[in-house]
Amino acid sequence: MKHILSLVTFTFMLVSLIGCTTSKTTLSNNINLSRYKYASIINNETYHIPAELMEYEIQLFDAVESSRLQLVSDLRICKLSPEQQSQLLLVKYGVQQNKDEAIVTVNFIDYMSGRPVASCRGAYGLGFDRAGDLKGAIKRVTKQISETFNK
């Protein structure tokens, strides 16, 4: 009986470790994130979410909105003053999913210089439910964004 209990405990711990893929944020050196006030999500023909994942695009917008950054439509950037444009981050996102995990990456790029300043990554995977893995990855990237821009 002890052997079976040990085996079940070991299996549970192994599954837990497999499900704990790494979520993290990478910041550019010498960058002051507090100077940014606006974000515009790039959504054009060369950079978009795959059609089968479109239902999750709302959650990705919500993830960016969870920060202190104010969303600005990419069609309205030209209406911002030069000062506001200097406080603007362009946002690109990517989704990768395989049978084991989902990874959502959200990159923040300085509008004026084109320089990447932050990259937030949310990863989740148990491999049992692809939709559940993707939801978990989006939750984790939302947490990374919130922690990064609400400091």
Side-chain angles (χ1 to χ4, degrees):
M1 185 64 160
K2 282 186 176 182
H3 182 65
I4 293 173
L5 185 57
S6 296
L7 184 60
V8 169
T9 303
F10 175 75
T11 303
F12 177 74
M13 289 174 55
L14 184 62
V15 168
S16 296
L17 288 174
I18 291 170
C20 295
T21 55
T22 305
S23 297
K24 65 179 182 174
T25 296
T26 303
L27 297 176
S28 176
N29 292 331
N30 303 320
I31 200 73
N32 179 7
L33 292 180
S34 65
R35 77 181 199 94
Y36 296 102
K37 295 181 181 175
Y38 308 98
S40 182
I41 297 174
I42 295 176
N43 193 8
N44 60 31
E45 292 178 18
T46 59
Y47 199 86
H48 64 281
I49 194 167
E52 65 272 12
L53 302 175
M54 286 299 282
E55 66 183 276
Y56 299 102
E57 189 171 33
I58 293 170
Q59 294 171 343
L60 290 170
F61 272 73
D62 288 346
V64 173
E65 211 167 37
S66 74
S67 71
R68 61 173 173 71
L69 299 172
Q70 180 182 339
L71 281 177
V72 176
S73 167
D74 56 347
L75 302 174
R76 298 189 50 86
I77 291 174
C78 61
K79 297 195 186 282
L80 295 175
S81 71
E83 181 182 344
Q84 290 172 317
Q85 288 178 352
S86 72
Q87 300 168 341
L88 174 66
L89 290 170
L90 298 177
V91 181
K92 294 181 179 182
Y93 55 82
V95 177
Q96 290 181 307
Q97 191 166 27
N98 59 38
K99 63 182 175 98
D100 298 323
E101 68 180 355
I103 299 170
V104 177
T105 306
V106 181
N107 297 312
F108 296 86
I109 301 156
D110 182 272
Y111 175 74
M112 297 301 275
S113 69
R115 185 183 200 296
V117 298
S119 180
C120 298
R121 177 183 190 263
Y124 186 84
L126 293 176
F128 300 126
D129 176 22
R130 290 175 63 89
D133 288 352
L134 186 55
K135 286 179 185 177
I138 291 172
K139 280 184 183 180
R140 287 187 175 178
V141 80
T142 299
K143 181 180 179 193
Q144 293 295 319
I145 292 168
S146 183
E147 289 174 356
T148 300
F149 289 97
N150 288 327
K151 290 180 180 177

